[in-house]
Amino acid sequence: MSTRIAIFTASIGAGHDLPAEVLAAALRERGATADVIDGLPIAGPVARGIIGGASSLDSTAGNLAFDAGYFLGTRFAPARKVGSRVIEQIAGRRFEAYLREHPADVVVSTYPLWTELLGRMRRAGTLATPVVSAITDLAALNYWAHPGVDLHLLTHPESEPEVRSIAGPGARIEAVHGLTDLRFCDPPERSAARAELELPARGSLVVVSGGGWGVGDLQGATDTALHYGADTVVVLVGHNEGARDRMLAAYGEDARVQVWGFTDRMVSLLAAADVLIHSTAGLTVLEALMCDCRVVSYGWARGHIRINNRAYERLGMVAVAKTRPQLAHAVIHALAAPPLGPQVPDLPAAADLVLGMAEREPAHAR
């Protein structure tokens, strides 16, 4: 019987779904059975309504609600404890029932609320299966880490101190590769990437990204990039149709600007670009660095993004701009800077460590 891995994600953004799919593909290549499961339908309509509402951010009210919810749910300890119990009460029995009906040798979570829930279940003894948390943010890791989690996988080695402060001194923590598209480990040359995407071979290329949600000051970032040295700008609006309409209205007649929706060609696009201006932190920043593309974090300093921006500044990983004048300075500097060089550390594969957890005590043998 092949090893069975259950990977829980939440269909609120590619930042959770794509790492789950990449990990599942690597596990299948190694002979395991890997199922990617959207936890929202399992959690039920109440949880789905609460969590799904987090992606309604195309308004001032939505942004303020996101900020308030983040503060109460993660930074204010009493509310965090209550929120953790609420997650367990709303979704705990549903997840227990699902895992009884679909037993696995290892359970992986790429979504922090499921990690919190599974960690609580593991610690309470209601879940016998090893739990792995796949952590794709740099900072703001409450809910990503938990004392009940057996293994924490990091895309950023710099995250270890925060994870250990949450999960405890004895927590097993490993920095890995294999939660991003493996093509990022060997991206194409810039000229080849531009030719593939039919982008101008000459001149500077800046990518302005609002993440999967298409949020942030996309127009301000585009105007600034064009004014301060970009010959071509590709704007990524994700699944946000309102943002697409606004950007097309503003730049539809400007040959220097292309507006893209969600794309699966990020390896080539980031390899083609000189600079990425990105609003929502996460894996996209790491992927850009792997492609020798300098990064400026700008445009949507809300909730956990604000905390990640502070970590970027503290660690000197990427430039952070809080205002358009600061963005102008960052763009000028980034376009004039020399190449970054290889940004792909030699790390173990996430899939190998997940399978190693199964070898300890297969669940289907219990």
Side-chain angles (χ1 to χ4, degrees):
M1 182 181 296
S2 67
T3 302
R4 181 173 293 277
I5 313 295
I7 306 173
F8 286 98
T9 182
S11 56
I12 63 168
H16 305 292
D17 291 340
L18 290 181
E21 295 290 353
V22 169
L23 178 59
L27 289 164
R28 291 167 191 146
E29 288 177 358
R30 289 160 171 79
T33 299
D35 300 315
V36 176
I37 305 141
D38 182 2
L40 287 178
I42 298 170
V46 174
R48 192 185 322 182
I50 295 170
I51 296 167
S55 59
S56 301
L57 299 168
D58 205 15
S59 67
T60 300
N63 281 281
L64 292 174
F66 184 89
D67 253 347
Y70 176 79
F71 173 79
L72 290 173
T74 65
R75 313 302 293 178
F76 184 55
R80 186 169 67 242
K81 292 179 181 178
V82 171
S84 180
R85 289 196 294 269
V86 168
I87 293 168
E88 188 172 29
Q89 291 171 0
I90 291 175
R93 291 184 180 178
R94 292 173 177 269
F95 269 71
E96 289 176 21
Y98 182 90
L99 288 169
R100 280 196 303 270
E101 295 174 11
H102 306 85
D105 297 296
V106 180
V107 177
V108 182
S109 170
T110 65
Y111 181 62
L113 293 187
W114 305 154
T115 301
E116 174 75 13
L117 172 61
L118 294 165
R120 288 177 68 89
M121 291 166 56
R122 185 81 166 121
R123 206 172 192 195
T126 58
L127 177 61
T129 308
V131 172
V132 178
S133 174
I135 300 173
T136 53
D137 273 359
L138 170 65
L141 302 179
N142 283 308
Y143 296 110
W144 284 101
H146 192 279
V149 168
D150 297 88
L151 172 62
H152 297 82
L153 302 179
L154 311 180
T155 54
H156 296 89
E158 298 86 352
S159 302
E160 180 174 350
E162 183 178 355
V163 172
R164 200 167 296 284
S165 73
I166 298 167
R172 185 182 175 198
I173 304 169
E174 300 280 355
V176 297
H177 72 79
L179 296 174
T180 61
D181 189 324
L182 290 180
R183 292 175 297 169
F184 281 110
C185 294
D186 187 24
E189 295 291 331
R190 187 153 292 161
S191 58
R194 291 190 180 190
E196 175 193 336
L197 299 175
E198 299 182 349
L199 292 168
R202 297 181 180 275
S204 57
L205 170 62
V206 174
V207 174
V208 173
S209 168
W213 292 343
V215 295
D217 183 18
L218 300 179
Q219 186 165 345
T222 303
D223 286 344
T224 301
L226 290 171
H227 188 75
Y228 290 97
D231 296 294
T232 303
V233 176
V234 175
V235 185
L236 302 179
V237 299
H239 299 289
N240 190 330
E241 292 300 322
R244 174 191 281 274
D245 291 344
R246 289 192 295 274
M247 296 305 289
L248 287 174
Y251 302 104
E253 303 301 320
D254 192 331
R256 299 172 298 170
V257 179
Q258 297 185 25
V259 180
W260 293 17
F262 181 82
T263 179
D264 59 1
R265 306 180 79 181
M266 287 297 290
V267 177
S268 297
L269 180 60
L270 293 176
D274 297 288
V275 178
L276 168 71
I277 303 172
H278 183 59
S279 66
T280 57
L283 274 179
T284 304
V285 170
L286 176 64
E287 292 166 347
L289 295 175
M290 294 172 74
C291 291
D292 194 16
C293 175
R294 290 187 178 270
V295 181
V296 182
S297 183
Y298 168 78
W300 199 68
R302 300 284 181 176
H304 65 293
I305 308 302
R306 184 183 297 113
I307 309 302
N308 275 270
N309 281 345
R310 291 173 187 165
Y312 289 142
E313 289 185 300
R314 184 180 73 252
L315 296 167
M317 291 179 65
V318 303
V320 175
K322 300 179 178 69
T323 65
R324 290 189 187 181
Q326 289 181 3
L327 176 62
H329 180 270
V331 168
I332 293 169
H333 175 78
L335 287 174
L340 287 166
Q343 301 288 309
V344 185
D346 185 16
L347 297 171
D352 289 337
L353 295 180
V354 170
L355 287 174
M357 297 301 296
E359 292 170 0
R360 296 183 176 193
E361 187 182 359
H364 58 242
R366 294 188 182 102

